[in-house]
Amino acid sequence: MRTINKTNVMADTVNINEKEIRAGYWEWEVEKDKITIDSSLQTMLGYNAGDINNNLQTWRQLIKPDYIDALCQIYKDHVASKGTKPFVLELGLTNKNSTTTYILVTGKVIKWTEHHEPETMWGSYMDVSPFKDAEKELQQVKDLLTKTNQIASVGGWELNLETNKVLWTPVTKSIFEIPEDFVPNLDSSDQFFKTGKYRAKIKRAVDRAITKGIPFDIELKIITAKGKEKWTRSVGQAEFVDGKCTRLYGVFQDINQRKLHEEALQQKNEQLQKAVSEKLDFLSIMSHEIRTPMNAVIGFTNLLLQNPRADQVEYLNVLKYSAENLLVLINDILDYNKINAGKIELENIAFDLRELCTNIKSAQQQEADKKDLILNINIDSKIPASIKGDPMRLGQIITNLIANAIKFTPAGKVDVSIKVVKQTTHNVTLYFEVTDTGIGIPKDKLDYIFEKFSQATSETTRKYGGTGLGLAIIKRLLEMVGSKINVTSVPGQGSSFFFKLKFKKSAVKLQELEPTDVPTGKELTGKKILIVEDNPINVLVIKKFLQQWGMEFDVAQNGLIAVEKASNNFFDLILMDLQMPEMDGFDATIAIRKLSAMHQHLPILALTASVVADMKEKVLEAGMNECINKPFKPADLYATLHHYLIGNVVEMHI
């Protein structure tokens, strides 16, 4: 049996009684009105391959007028029956020498639109001219038609309800792997369908067709006479006389290969989904492990900023800025797919660009000094004192560009220039440029360096290190706000990276960062909190802030202890870590909610170091009220506690 490949239409030649019968295949894209027929038909009609365009109208002109109406009617019946009525007819085509060639055409709609209109039709043709004058030749055409059905693995069947006689064509018998002399009956027909839902399904479909005239087209599993399990397609249509069903007929098709292919694709998809799930679990664990020590760094930095020596303020501000910037970078690395999908949420808050650049310069100055590089940041005096945007992301972009420039500059300087390009009453467009006197980039690598995990050359990676992720992140972040990173470079002389960004002006008057950014209000005094956290450093950070706000607290090292303490003590609120031994925060929350009616309304706030995209949804589904990310800003923690304990949100500005 030859397998048909509809993407590679081919022709076939069969010799019967020393007469050559030519056959081929065609495909019609109905909506595009485009028909593709193999070149052998053109040769059959006396044309050279390519003389006739694969255009429906062109081919229609070659059909003898007497055949047009029949062709249209058979097509309409086939479509109206959703493919159950066969598309088979003889056509006369005009040859190049004005004689007639007769072909037998079969076809079927193999793809339907969502509106149940034909989208793609596929079929075969064969030259029947040699058999027009004799019955014997017509029989040979029938044999060829059978061969075509064998190629397509389509067989016919009929049930005469007046005689209870069952008829199967040879192809149908071949599908069921029974000998050609096998005589089917009503009982034996049912036995081939696999027991259970498949046999019940065909019986139900036949009953509905007989009693209500409802046609069917279903996919079922059968067990062949040789014990082989395979997928088949069963199509049936009822025929009624005087309101009584007298005949049921249709086709069987062997679709086992297609179904096995679909099942393989489904298995691959499930494996992919499993891999994605495992990746998310890995990201959640890695995020938790990395962000936990970051929580301590940022938390204790905030505590030290409350009462520092005068000579420590600048260093602590740089430490805080650098730690927060590192946190953003960690988040991006752990969830790079989220950046690629454009799902990073950008802030739109007022900030001072000069203060931002001052902190960046202070953070990068030490690395520049190690190489005796001059680091200059020149800011246009016309830039407004306050603009609106995402200072952390902008800082990340500028920091990455400066860090790259310092890394790849052995000697000389790094210049940062920020200028006003356009300014209106409400908006300002700025031009950013970072220029260095470093090693430069070859011209053929200028686009390549913006790909993730890529650097200009392997030698660059070995000599200077790094992941090659920084420029890729910059590229994606700028694309998210409608901008583009550009670069010019001369090997051995240096590089220049530049981009433009549009900002809204802000009327908010910003104050310089003060050591006392941690809220000191006493509205929360006396409120009792249960801290559920297994990391002692995180517990220490949280306790320091709660003590400053006059709050009482208890600590549970895991979810099991938290459930026990919640059942035996009164708490105004619970701060719940998510990843803990014995019992995690999700299960602990579910258990606490079941303790009593009072516990159903107890505020439970999740403390999580995870950056998985759907973590907040999981937190809310478990019954928690809110999700606080670690490392947290003291003002954000205070405002959230104030909201759930006092009843209104306190806006804090850091």
Side-chain angles (χ1 to χ4, degrees):
M1 183 177 292
R2 181 182 287 106
T3 301
I4 296 176
N5 184 350
K6 69 177 183 178
T7 61
N8 181 21
V9 179
M10 56 187 179
D12 200 5
T13 301
V14 180
N15 290 311
I16 298 179
N17 295 337
E18 298 182 350
K19 291 186 178 181
E20 183 179 88
I21 306 303
R22 291 169 291 186
Y25 304 91
W26 56 271
E27 183 175 8
W28 180 25
E29 295 175 72
V30 181
E31 291 187 333
K32 298 180 180 178
D33 214 21
K34 176 184 176 183
I35 190 166
T36 302
I37 304 178
D38 63 86
S39 59
S40 64
L41 184 56
Q42 300 189 36
T43 305
M44 189 188 308
L45 298 177
Y47 294 93
N48 295 322
D51 285 352
I52 304 175
N53 295 328
N54 282 331
N55 179 280
L56 183 63
Q57 295 304 319
T58 302
W59 281 99
R60 180 168 179 156
Q61 292 173 5
L62 297 177
I63 301 174
K64 292 286 187 179
D66 294 342
Y67 293 87
I68 295 295
D69 290 340
L71 173 62
C72 293
Q73 187 60 49
I74 291 174
Y75 170 74
K76 289 179 181 178
D77 293 343
H78 181 71
V79 172
S81 68
K82 297 301 179 186
T84 59
K85 288 191 176 182
F87 182 89
V88 181
L89 78 159
E90 182 181 286
L91 288 179
L93 302 179
T94 302
N95 286 324
K96 189 174 183 180
N97 60 7
S98 298
T99 60
T100 301
T101 293
Y102 296 92
I103 63 172
L104 184 66
V105 179
T106 64
K108 184 174 181 62
V109 176
I110 62 169
K111 188 176 182 181
W112 303 81
T113 68
E114 61 181 357
H115 301 296
H116 307 293
E117 296 294 329
E119 181 175 332
T120 304
M121 194 169 183
W122 179 36
S124 62
Y125 68 87
M126 62 191 72
D127 179 12
V128 297
S129 297
F131 307 108
K132 288 290 292 182
D133 299 327
E135 184 67 25
K136 181 179 178 180
E137 293 178 342
L138 290 177
Q139 182 59 44
Q140 291 175 332
V141 172
K142 180 181 177 182
D143 292 340
L144 281 180
L145 180 59
T146 300
K147 176 179 173 61
T148 302
N149 287 335
Q150 289 174 340
I151 293 173
S153 295
V154 176
W157 61 270
E158 179 182 291
L159 168 61
N160 189 317
L161 294 174
E162 295 180 336
T163 63
N164 285 333
K165 183 178 180 180
V166 178
L167 175 66
W168 285 357
T169 65
V171 176
T172 298
K173 293 180 179 180
S174 175
I175 292 173
F176 286 92
E177 295 185 320
I178 55 176
E180 290 190 10
D181 59 357
F182 178 85
V183 180
N185 55 52
L186 285 175
D187 293 333
S188 63
S189 299
D190 290 342
Q191 298 307 311
F192 284 101
F193 294 96
K194 188 175 181 180
T195 56
K197 64 177 181 180
Y198 300 107
R199 190 174 296 182
K201 194 172 183 180
I202 188 63
K203 286 184 176 181
R204 185 167 56 251
V206 169
D207 182 66
R208 283 160 55 90
I210 293 173
T211 58
K212 300 180 181 180
I214 301 174
F216 58 87
D217 186 344
I218 52 180
E219 296 179 350
L220 304 164
K221 279 187 176 181
I222 65 168
I223 305 296
T224 71
K226 296 181 179 180
K228 180 180 178 181
E229 181 177 291
K230 67 166 65 173
W231 279 98
T232 61
R233 178 187 178 201
S234 181
V235 180
Q237 175 74 41
E239 184 178 282
F240 285 78
V241 176
D242 297 329
K244 180 181 178 181
C245 183
T246 59
R247 186 169 73 105
L248 202 63
Y249 65 96
V251 296
F252 281 122
Q253 182 178 19
D254 185 342
I255 58 171
N256 201 53
Q257 291 301 316
R258 174 173 67 81
K259 292 295 291 186
L260 291 178
H261 179 65
E262 290 176 357
E263 290 173 354
L265 289 177
Q266 177 65 24
Q267 186 177 8
K268 288 182 179 179
N269 183 60
E270 291 174 356
Q271 291 173 349
L272 178 61
Q273 294 299 324
K274 182 180 179 182
V276 170
S277 178
E278 290 175 350
K279 179 180 178 182
L280 290 176
D281 291 341
F282 171 76
L283 288 176
S284 180
I285 294 171
M286 288 302 298
S287 170
H288 185 274
E289 294 303 317
I290 294 174
R291 289 165 63 94
T292 295
M294 287 300 300
N295 183 45
V297 172
I298 294 177
F300 280 108
T301 301
N302 284 319
L303 288 170
L304 290 171
L305 275 168
Q306 295 179 62
N307 189 27
R309 297 199 310 264
D311 61 333
Q312 294 177 330
V313 174
E314 180 181 1
Y315 301 141
L316 289 173
N317 282 336
V318 171
L319 176 60
K320 179 181 179 181
Y321 171 81
S322 299
E324 290 177 345
N325 195 67
L326 176 59
L327 181 62
V328 171
L329 182 58
I330 290 171
N331 291 344
D332 289 344
I333 294 173
L334 292 175
D335 203 8
Y336 187 77
N337 287 335
K338 187 165 67 173
I339 298 177
N340 260 350
K343 294 181 180 179
I344 293 291
E345 295 182 4
L346 298 177
E347 286 189 309
N348 188 30
I349 61 175
F351 69 97
D352 186 336
L353 181 59
R354 290 179 179 80
E355 180 183 348
L356 177 66
C357 291
T358 298
N359 286 333
I360 292 173
K361 185 176 186 299
S362 298
Q364 297 295 319
Q365 189 65 58
Q366 184 177 4
E367 290 300 315
D369 291 343
K370 288 180 181 178
K371 304 174 74 172
D372 291 328
L373 300 178
I374 299 173
L375 175 58
N376 294 319
I377 298 184
N378 302 306
I379 302 178
D380 194 332
S381 61
K382 296 190 290 293
I383 295 177
S386 178
I387 57 177
K388 295 189 72 174
D390 191 327
M392 192 60 68
R393 297 296 178 184
L394 178 59
Q396 181 182 353
I397 292 171
I398 298 174
T399 297
N400 278 346
L401 289 176
I402 294 176
N404 267 1
I406 293 174
K407 180 191 293 186
F408 298 116
T409 303
K413 62 179 181 177
V414 175
D415 288 323
V416 181
S417 178
I418 306 176
K419 300 177 182 178
V420 173
V421 175
K422 182 180 179 181
Q423 188 163 193
T424 64
T425 304
H426 302 290
N427 302 298
V428 59
T429 301
L430 303 181
Y431 172 84
F432 296 80
E433 183 174 19
V434 178
T435 303
D436 63 63
T437 57
I439 62 175
I441 306 165
K443 186 176 181 180
D444 61 341
K445 300 295 184 182
L446 291 179
D447 292 329
Y448 177 73
I449 61 173
F450 293 104
E451 299 298 323
K452 61 180 179 180
F453 308 116
S454 301
Q455 292 188 353
T457 65
S458 58
E459 181 182 354
T460 302
T461 304
R462 289 193 299 269
K463 185 174 181 180
Y464 295 96
T467 64
L469 188 59
L471 290 177
I473 293 176
I474 290 172
K475 179 175 180 287
R476 297 298 292 131
L477 288 175
L478 287 175
E479 287 174 348
M480 289 174 61
V481 292
S483 186
K484 180 182 179 182
I485 184 72
N486 300 280
V487 59
T488 59
S489 185
V490 178
Q493 297 184 27
S495 305
S496 178
F497 292 83
F498 52 95
F499 60 92
K500 293 180 182 179
L501 279 178
K502 184 178 180 179
F503 299 90
K504 287 186 178 296
K505 294 181 179 179
S506 173
V508 177
K509 185 177 181 181
L510 301 172
Q511 297 180 351
E512 293 185 2
L513 186 66
E514 296 292 339
T516 57
D517 282 328
V518 180
T520 57
K522 296 300 181 182
E523 297 93 338
L524 305 182
T525 299
K527 298 295 184 182
K528 189 172 182 180
I529 305 294
L530 176 61
I531 305 170
V532 188
E533 170 68 69
D534 64 317
N535 187 292
I537 298 177
N538 287 341
V539 172
L540 181 60
V541 172
I542 296 171
K543 286 168 59 176
K544 290 294 184 182
F545 290 116
L546 298 185
Q547 287 171 345
Q548 292 183 22
W549 301 330
M551 305 181 74
E552 300 177 12
F553 52 83
D554 195 357
V555 178
Q557 286 76 29
N558 59 55
L560 282 176
I561 299 174
V563 175
E564 181 183 355
K565 291 197 172 188
S567 63
N568 297 323
N569 301 276
F570 172 80
F571 297 99
D572 294 293
L573 183 144
I574 296 178
L575 289 174
M576 180 74 71
D577 188 25
L578 298 182
Q579 295 186 12
M580 295 175 292
E582 302 295 336
M583 178 184 283
D584 63 24
F586 298 104
D587 291 338
T589 299
I590 294 172
I592 291 172
R593 292 297 188 207
K594 294 179 180 179
L595 291 175
S596 69
M598 179 187 70
H599 288 90
Q600 293 177 11
H601 303 286
L602 174 66
I604 302 178
L605 311 182
L607 281 171
T608 175
S610 174
V611 293
V612 175
D614 61 349
M615 181 57 69
K616 186 169 184 179
E617 294 179 9
K618 294 180 179 179
V619 163
L620 297 178
E621 287 176 2
M624 287 173 259
N625 301 85
E626 186 61 84
C627 185
I628 301 174
N629 289 327
K630 293 186 292 189
F632 57 80
K633 294 181 180 180
D636 291 341
L637 177 62
Y638 183 88
T640 306
L641 294 177
H642 195 286
H643 171 68
Y644 284 98
L645 295 175
I646 306 301
N648 60 312
V649 178
V650 176
E651 294 187 1
M652 306 303 300
H653 299 282
I654 295 183

